[in-house]
Amino acid sequence: MELRHLRYFVAIAESGSFTVAAKQRLNTAQPSLSRQIRELEAEVGVQLLIRSRRGIELTAAGRAFLDHARIALDQAEAGREAARKAARPAKPTFVLGFLTGQEMDWLPEAINVLRDELPKIEITVLSKTSPWLAEALTRGKLDLAFMRAEPGMPSLMYQLVTKERLVVVLPRNHRLALLEEINPRELADENFITVSSTAPTVKAVIDEFISRSGVDIHPVHEADNLTMAMTLVVSTGGVCLLPAYAEKILPVSVISRPLAGEAPTIDLVVGYSKANTSQTLQRFLSRVDDLISKVDDLVPRSR
């Protein structure tokens, strides 16, 4: 069984189509892809995929095999990354990830911690979505990330940094902008913009809050990122709920207001791989509490 067989199988399972997997993810011909899957099924000894009118469906054996295939690919990628790092031992390196927007608060002190511990360390900083960061940690491409605690990532560890409240984001000329705080009932008749599955943890918190509030709120748009959320707020006159850190990047035509009552919160954590035995990582983690205290002194926040 070869890694390419596993890569092809995962691509088909995730895209639900031989054609889409071949053209958009694997850059290979469909007949070749079909042949590779037949070879994989012959190696495993059971049928993994079924073609249907709705596309490709996994058999029970295929669903069981998928999780193991992903783990094998992740471990192979982590092994390659570890080997590359071992081949460049001359200078310590640390790759730090941030949920886009969070670096505004946390990057300066994170850099200070790393410089204190290892003055000559080479630091790389990446700003991405939380699911991307989780995947990169699993594959060994990041050492640590400020992110959400993404579900279904058993190889990752999380340490709480802060709890962020959700706030209402709306146009500056909106009728609700006159209020000091907004009761959830006021959102019932508004064009409500929610976040898409690109931010599954935030989406889950918002969905749970809407369900718990008992207010009849039906999202009419989904935003893939903060920029898109702001654009939809301005263009549609709608409202949305976002973590409070978004307040730092609001355009002048958009404002935020707190929710009345007990506002929902979402955890910001530092995440790292259980398999990462880097001494630099351990030294950084030992200073996380100091880092949190220093940032809280500069940027007070509800915890």
Side-chain angles (χ1 to χ4, degrees), residues 100-148:
T100 300
Q102 293 288 359
E103 64 272 22
M104 299 176 70
D105 283 345
W106 301 98
L107 177 58
E109 287 302 326
I111 294 294
N112 288 339
V113 168
L114 291 167
R115 295 299 187 203
D116 286 347
E117 295 294 330
L118 291 167
K120 295 183 179 180
I121 192 172
E122 180 178 306
I123 303 169
T124 300
V125 177
L126 297 174
S127 176
K128 298 286 185 179
T129 65
S130 187
W132 189 97
L133 296 171
E135 188 72 19
L137 287 169
T138 300
R139 293 178 179 272
K141 293 186 176 183
L142 286 177
D143 289 296
L144 179 138
F146 287 74
M147 57 185 293
R148 306 302 180 197

Side-chain angles (χ1 to χ4, degrees), residues 7-28:
R7 189 169 65 254
Y8 291 169
F9 171 72
V10 170
I12 295 169
E14 290 179 347
S15 62
S17 166
F18 273 86
T19 302
V20 173
K23 290 183 177 180
Q24 298 184 9
R25 298 188 56 172
L26 301 172
N27 194 28
T28 189

Side-chain angles (χ1 to χ4, degrees), residues 6 9-11 13-14 58 61-71:
L6 301 181
F9 171 72
V10 170
E14 290 179 347
L58 295 176
R63 289 192 295 272
F65 186 74
L66 179 60
D67 289 338
H68 293 279
R70 284 171 170 155
I71 291 171

